[in-house]
Each structure stands twice: as C-alpha cells, then as structure tokens.
C-alpha cells in the first residue's frame, strides 16, 4: 500500500534542494517499478535511472522521456545496449573498457553515438550492510578512480562514444555525511585533473544511496518506544555535498531510489497464529520473505505497527512468515503489543526494495498493490493468482 502524497512530497523535497542549480534527478527504478508509481514520479519532472532493458521499457511506458534516462549496471547485455541506443537514451553509466568497446560497436551499427559517464570505484567504506556497499575496491562496480584519466582519454578516441562525465554510487542506506563528502572531494579534484589532461567533462552523476529513517517512524503512547534513527539526507545534500559538487561547474545529477519511495509504502499482513514455545512467542503472519526479503537478506529493521493500536500488554515477539525456512522472519525479539489471530500488522517503510525483490517461493502469489490518495484507494497491481504461477 502506498501513499501518493508521500511520493510527491519526497520528489519535491529533493528538487527544492537543487533550486537554481543545473541538475537532473534520476529516480532509481530498481527501488520500485510499479508503473503507476513511475508515472507519478515522471509527472514530477524527474528522470529515471534504469538497470536493465525491462526497467527501460517500464520507464518509457510510464512517461519518462528517453533523454532523461540513464542506464546503470555492471553487466549490460548487447541486446540491452542496442535497445537503449535505438531509443536514444540520455546516457550510459559505463563500468569497464570492455563495455565501452561494445557500446562503440553497437552505436556504430546503429549510426549513432553513445553518451557515456564513467562509473568510478572510489574505494570508500560507506558503512552499512556489505551486500549494499558498492564502492570498495573489492566490489565489482566501476573502474578504479586512479584509472579515470587513461580510460577516458582512450574513450575519447572512439568515434561512436561521446564522453560526457563521471559517476559514482557509494552504496545504499548511507546515513552519514562523511562518505559522501569524501567522495565529492575526490570527484571534484578528479574533474579538475581530467580537464587539465584534455578530457571534456560536462556532467557529474553523484549516484544514490541516501539513507532514510526506519526506526520510530510511528510513535504512540501505547506502542513500545522506538529510538528514531533519523537521517536528514536532504539537509546533508544541501549543506555538505552540493556546495562541493558545484565547484565542478558541471551539471549535477543524483539517482535516489529509497529516499523517494521507502516511506510511502507499508506491507500489510494478517496474523494467522499466535504461538508460544518454551523459548519464544511467535506471531505467524501471512506475508514473509517472499513478499519482503529485506529483514532476512540484510538483517534490515522495519518498524511493525498493529493496525489497531490497543492497550494490550507488550511482549517480546518473533514476527515470522509462513515459509519453510527459519530465515523467514520480519522481526526478531521485537517488543509488540500482544496481537491475536485475525489482527493486521503494518510493516512500515516498505516502499523501496519490497515488491521488486518479492518472489513466488513456496508457490505463493505476490500481493496486490494499492495507491492511497486522501480517502481514495486505487488498485495499481492486481494480486497474483495461483493460475499465474
Ligand atoms: N544508482 C545505482 C547505480 C544503484 O545501484 C542504486 C541502488 C541506486 C542508484 C539507488 O540507491 P538508493 O538511493 O535506493 O539507495 N536491495 C537493497 C538496496 C540495493 C541498492 C542497489 N542499488 C536494500 O533493500 O536495501
């Protein structure tokens, strides 16, 4: 379930930070690619960052103009590149010399040239879970930043490649300013060096990764007290990062995903059973890691709020899904008001990397998606049926 107002507000909030600055915000489609939500975001004037042919198709179908689309990803297939070149997308964020060569060949066949930004690996530890940290030297992403000059000088010699700039993306759910500031400094210095070496740089794409609040999102006297993990990424962007990036004299772009869509979504689940064992209290619900894999995969924290807040006593609970895996949980050892069969729970801040990472594991159809606009509810994706499995 998504709240329309939240999505619009988050888009505008980011755009306000950039006011008066030559920039483009590309929404990272991978965070949530529901067509109706994409349509909403495109209507707010954002561009789209896509990571596959499928996401490109969805972005184009949902109203993003090709010129406002960038294609990121370490493993673009030839047919995906050809599809994107045919549609003349804004730029490719490229990650290796092999990829640039392939892009040059495919662009030549199409009689076009491909605009590129070179993704750089800055070897910065942005903290957080190892699976979503992307800019350490051991990670597969980007080109070592010390090689930027040689790679881009070479790329400039290719006839069907149009070098536009550089790009970095540090990781996801980054809650501190420091890694962003360090990377902004490296990138701006590098742009100066590139220009001295005769490489023309117009664009600096700073990627996404801005962390959002997951804890203490809802507070209520009858809910367990949850210390909020507040991060105000818009303030960090405005105060700490943007002034540095502006020194580059480039068009600045960013690729936020989570920070636009996470807060808009909740996953609603129904309590099937309340069960006590010698060691634990389990609340078994009808949604699990097949619907929201973030807790199981990244040990991620999502606040859980009963839809009806009662004065029931609090108890330490494992909220678990119905699947045949012990790793199928939404919360472990979580203080919650006592709930019973038939009660509903809201798993908060599930708008980003929720539905897109869902699966049909254990033969379970995916849930419906609903958009709430004031008092109006619109079904924006039908519940899957078992016949569709
Ligand atoms: N740009 C690129 C090139 C990316 O790879 C990503 C995310 C983004 C932008 C958007 O990052 P965001 O602003 O959403 O942090 N499934 C994980 C997150 C994976 C992020 C993948 N790349 C999770 O649920 O935490």
């Amino acid at each position: 379930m998504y709240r329309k107002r939240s999505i619009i507000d988050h888009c505008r909030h980011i755009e306000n930070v950039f006011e008066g600055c030559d920039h483009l915000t590309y929404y990272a489609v991978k965070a949530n690619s529901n067509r109706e939500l994409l349509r909403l975001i495109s209507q707010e004037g954002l561009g789209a960052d896509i990571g596959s042919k499928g996401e490109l198709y969805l972005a184009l179908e949902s109203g993003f103009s090709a010129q406002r689309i960038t294609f990121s990803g370490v493993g673009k297939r030839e047919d995906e590149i050809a599809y994107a070149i045919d549609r003349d997308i804004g730029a490719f964020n490229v990650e290796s010399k092999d990829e640039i060569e392939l892009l040059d060949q495919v662009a030549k066949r199409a009689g076009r040239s491909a605009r590129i930004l070179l993704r750089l690996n800055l070897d910065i530890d942005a903290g957080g879970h190892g699976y979503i940290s992307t800019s350490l030297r051991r990670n597969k992403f980007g080109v070592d930043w010390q090689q930027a000059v040689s790679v881009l000088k070479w790329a400039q010699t290719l006839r069907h490649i149009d070098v536009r700039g550089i790009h970095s993306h540090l990781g996801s759910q980054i809650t501190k300013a420091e890694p962003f500031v360090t990377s902004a400094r490296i990138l701006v210095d590098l742009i100066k060096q590139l220009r001295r070496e005769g490489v023309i740089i117009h664009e600096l794409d700073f990627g996404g990764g801005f962390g959002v609040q997951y804890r203490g999102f809802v507070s209520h006297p009858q809910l367990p007290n949850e210390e909020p993990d507040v991060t105000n990424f818009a303030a960090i962007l405005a105060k700490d990062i943007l002034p540095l990036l502006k020194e580059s004299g480039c068009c600045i772009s960013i690729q936020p995903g989570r920070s636009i869509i996470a807060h808009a979504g909740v996953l609603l689940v129904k309590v099937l059973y309340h069960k006590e064992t010698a060691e634990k209290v389990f609340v078994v619900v009808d949604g699990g890691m097949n619907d929201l894999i973030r807790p199981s995969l990244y040990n991620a924290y999502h606040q859980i709020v009963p839809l009806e807040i009662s004065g029931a006593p609090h108890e330490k609970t494992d909220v678990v899904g119905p699947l045949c895996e012990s790793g199928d949980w939404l919360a472990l050892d979580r203080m919650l008001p006592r709930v019973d069969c038939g009660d509903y729970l809201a798993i908060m801040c599930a708008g980003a990397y929720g539905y897109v990472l869902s699966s049909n594991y254990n033969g379970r159809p995916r849930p419906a998606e609903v958009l709430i606009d004031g008092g109006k509810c619109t079904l924006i994706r039908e519940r899957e049926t078992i016949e569709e499995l």
Side-chain angles (χ1 to χ4, degrees), residues 43 55-56 108 203 331 354 358:
Q43 281 163 0
E55 284 185 359
L56 175 52
K108 182 178 178 189
E203 293 173 33
S358 64

Side-chain angles (χ1 to χ4, degrees), residues 40 50 71 149 161 180 183 268 289 375 379:
L40 201 60
I50 56 102
F71 193 168
V149 173
I161 294 293
F180 288 122
S183 73
L268 282 187
M289 65 190 282
L379 186 64

Side-chain angles (χ1 to χ4, degrees), residues 28 30 119 132 169 172 209 255-258 294 298 353 357:
K30 56 173 76 76
R119 177 168 177 175
I132 53 177
H169 171 74
S172 202
Q255 310 173 328
R258 190 191 308 270
R294 301 196 69 255
Y298 315 110
Y353 307 108
L357 278 166

